[in-house]
Amino acid sequence: SDDGNDDGNDDGNDDGNDDGNDDGNDDNQDDDNTPTTCVDESYYMFKNGLEVMVTCNWLNNAVKGTRRKARWCPIVQYHCPQACDACGKECADDEDFTFPLRQQNGNTDVCSWIIRNTVEPRLQQRRDRYCLDFELADPAIQEACPSSCGFCPEDPSNIWPKNKDASCGANNADFVFENDSDKLVDCSWIDYNPKKVDARRKKWW
């Protein structure tokens, strides 16, 4: 089935290198998380089901795009509004939406229940169970509760990794970027070749 393994049978060699042409403006969110310009965040990256860091453009694959968008857009659509056809969509919980709580004898609650207990690891456990786990998460909850799930771009607790504000100058071990060959590399690539280090530092720092 097409589950959390994220195209495991056909994406084994997909390392996200099809994203090199995504040159959108990454500053497209206003203060209330509503996109003012329908452009994907060019520096936003997230891990797909194969633990590969990819950009929004990865969703636009001609063959696998429909399946990828169905799976990932409920989670990343506010960073990738163009790819996910979510232009102008406000990143806010549906206050009228309720969902059944697991192992709670049929009791239901609203989106804010997910973040009601802020003591770790309870908050992350609830987000994992109701928003992230591909076996357990309900797409309806992902769609109706983006703020409580931590999907909004301006949410400091946003759980999906992005490199928008990272840099090699800050020695961020998680930062990756596309080099001239459209390959994803980390900061060590800059110093890897002694003959090219000066040119690479000048360009990439």
Side-chain angles (χ1 to χ4, degrees):
S1 63
D2 185 19
D3 55 21
N5 292 327
D6 191 56
D7 304 326
N9 293 328
D10 55 8
D11 276 354
N13 296 319
D14 187 347
D15 60 359
N17 291 339
D18 59 345
D19 304 323
N21 295 324
D22 187 354
D23 60 352
N25 180 4
D26 65 343
D27 189 15
N28 59 36
Q29 303 291 335
D30 60 19
D31 291 340
D32 65 358
N33 297 328
T34 304
T36 55
T37 303
C38 190
V39 179
D40 296 336
E41 293 183 2
S42 60
Y43 293 104
Y44 175 73
M45 305 187 78
F46 62 97
K47 287 184 180 180
N48 64 16
L50 297 176
E51 297 295 307
V52 175
M53 295 293 290
V54 295
T55 66
C56 296
N57 200 47
W58 176 81
L59 298 166
N60 294 322
N61 182 277
V63 177
K64 306 168 189 174
T66 299
R67 184 169 54 188
R68 289 177 178 179
K69 290 177 182 181
R71 177 183 298 165
W72 292 99
C73 279
I75 297 173
V76 304
Q77 60 185 320
Y78 301 102
H79 296 282
C80 308
Q82 186 176 38
C84 292
D85 194 23
C87 301
K89 192 172 184 179
E90 182 181 6
C91 191
D93 291 344
D94 181 347
E95 297 181 358
D96 297 323
F97 177 79
T98 61
F99 59 94
L101 303 179
R102 297 190 177 94
Q103 300 177 339
Q104 296 290 329
N105 298 319
N107 292 335
T108 62
D109 215 319
V110 296
C111 294
S112 60
W113 174 87
I114 297 172
I115 58 174
R116 192 170 297 160
N117 189 336
T118 59
V119 177
E120 293 294 352
R122 180 66 67 183
L123 172 59
Q124 192 57 51
Q125 287 174 344
R126 290 183 175 181
R127 281 180 166 174
D128 287 343
R129 177 176 297 181
Y130 290 91
C131 305
L132 302 177
D133 190 299
F134 283 105
E135 295 293 334
L136 300 175
D138 184 345
I141 297 175
Q142 294 175 330
E143 184 68 32
C145 308
S147 180
S148 292
C149 284
F151 299 157
C152 295
E154 302 305 321
D155 182 352
S157 65
N158 187 298
I159 42 69
W160 286 97
K162 59 180 179 178
N163 293 332
K164 177 179 176 181
D165 298 318
S167 71
C168 288
N171 295 320
N172 190 321
D174 296 323
F175 180 67
V176 294
F177 60 97
E178 290 179 354
N179 64 13
D180 294 321
S181 300
D182 294 330
K183 293 183 178 180
L184 287 175
V185 295
D186 61 20
C187 296
S188 65
W189 171 85
I190 293 175
D191 295 324
Y192 183 76
N193 188 330
K195 294 181 179 180
K196 298 181 179 180
V197 63
D198 290 338
R200 288 179 177 178
R201 284 180 176 177
K202 182 176 180 180
K203 179 171 184 178
W204 298 103
W205 280 8

